Structure formats: structure tokens, C-alpha cells
Amino acid sequence: MKLSWSPERASKAYIDTITYCKLQRESGAAELVSAMAAGWNSRLIVETWFSRGAVAVSIGLVVASRHTGGRHVCVVPDEDSRLEYLEFLGGVGLSAEVMVGDFDSVVSGLTGIDFMVVDCQRRDFTGMLRTAKLGEHGAVLVCKNASVRVSSSFGWRSVLYSGSTRRLVRSAFLPVGKGLDIAYISGNGESLRKLKGESRWIKRLDWRTREEVIIRK
């Protein structure tokens, strides 16, 4: 994932997602996530989905992958979920690569994830974030349905193993849809000095999660 933002690519993905999601109820989150994934030129986009889940965000990710020329993969738990997911996408004229099975097993073959979306309504969503093999230049991680997540004690630092060479660069909660909790995780061994360049960075303590968040000004 290149750390250069493309407003043009993000804007196009945003507009296309609006077009595809016009009949979907929660397209606000879909448009935002699509613009983020496209704007950061994400090459490997991974999401998790299960039966009867909302599909608008998925549409946005498919659209984003088309604009970046990257790969989009959806991981589902069973065959019924796969068929349901593809039926939803087919209804708006889209298709996707879907992998069926236990997330830990499936994602072991996906290396270099630079944009990932998980559903906070699944009890194992934190484990999914920990298992993901992120890109060498870092990754953007998104938890959807964050306002109704099953774990109220979730903190982004819990995603990083003790002794990890990755850093939580920035995190933010956005009250879009049912809530989006977003974090940027640095690349392996990427120091704060290398990340900040000529910019000014400050540290803030999130009193809700007790996490120290690094913010660029």
C-alpha cells in the first residue's frame, strides 16, 4: 500500500458506490469505506461477512478494488453465506472473490493485506484482526457496526502482539451507519521518526480505551 493519497481515485469510488448502493439502506458507511480503500490505493482488500449481514460496505469495497486494480476477498463461514453474498452482489451487477471456511485457516494464505474490514457483531472479530498478515508498509483496519459490538472493552492496542514491531499510528471512531472504528497500523519495524517525516506528531491519551494515540498535525 502506497502512503500517498489520491483524491481523484477516492472521489470516483465514492460516486460509483453511491450509484450501486442507491437501493441500500446504509450506504453512508459504504461510500466512506470505498473512498478510503481506493484513495490509499489498496492492493489487497479483505473483509469478513456472514449470513443476513448488510452488504452495502461490501459493494463499496468491490468498487474500490476496481479503481485500484487490486484484489478484493470476502471470507465467509459457510456455503450458504457464500451463495447469499454472491446473490446480493449479483443483484446490483457485481461479483467478488469469496473464500469459505474458518477465518484463521483461510487468511493464512493471504499475505500483504493493506485494507481490512471486520464486523464487530462477531465475537471473534478481535482474533481476526490479530491473525491478518498485514502489508509491509502498514494497513488500514476498519471495524463496522462498532456502536453495537459485542466487546465493550476492545482497544486497538489489543490487536498488536507484545513485542510487535508495528505501531498504532492513528485511530478514530466515526458515527457513520452503526459506527466505524478505524485504525492505521504502521509497517513492520517502521519507526515513528520515519513515519512523521517533516510533519509534527503529538501523543494523545484516549480516556475511553486508555490507548495512546499518535496524531499528525
Side-chain angles (χ1 to χ4, degrees), residues 57-186:
V57 168
S58 300
I59 292 173
L61 294 175
V62 173
V63 170
S65 68
R66 289 186 169 190
H67 283 280
T68 66
R71 180 185 180 191
H72 164 260
V73 179
C74 179
V75 180
V76 298
D78 50 50
E79 184 64 16
D80 288 342
S81 294
R82 185 186 75 86
L83 295 175
E84 186 178 349
Y85 180 84
L86 291 176
E87 182 180 358
F88 281 142
L89 289 185
V92 295
L94 295 174
S95 60
E97 179 181 353
V98 184
M99 303 181 74
V100 181
D102 174 72
F103 182 83
D104 289 358
S105 300
V106 172
V107 84
S108 64
L110 299 174
T111 302
I113 298 171
D114 48 30
F115 199 94
M116 181 173 172
V117 179
V118 299
D119 194 330
C120 288
Q121 293 185 103
R122 288 188 62 120
R123 294 191 177 278
D124 55 349
F125 80 92
T126 300
M128 292 177 177
L129 293 168
R130 288 175 179 160
T131 302
K133 297 179 179 179
L134 306 182
E136 62 176 320
H137 297 298
V140 175
L141 306 179
V142 180
C143 294
K144 65 180 183 179
N145 296 319
S147 297
V148 292
R149 59 183 154 209
V150 294
S151 174
S152 59
S153 61
F154 171 78
W156 280 110
R157 291 199 178 280
S158 67
V159 174
L160 304 175
Y161 288 114
S162 176
S164 172
T165 58
R166 296 184 181 273
R167 299 181 64 101
L168 172 63
V169 179
R170 185 175 184 180
S171 64
F173 176 84
L174 302 179
V176 180
K178 293 184 179 179
L180 294 175
D181 206 344
I182 305 168
Y184 168 52
I185 307 298
S186 74

Side-chain angles (χ1 to χ4, degrees), residues 157 167-168 203-206 209-214:
R157 291 199 178 280
R167 299 181 64 101
L168 172 63
K203 295 181 180 180
R204 291 276 178 84
L205 181 65
D206 186 327
T209 64
R210 307 302 297 174
E211 289 180 349
E212 185 182 70
V213 180
I214 302 169

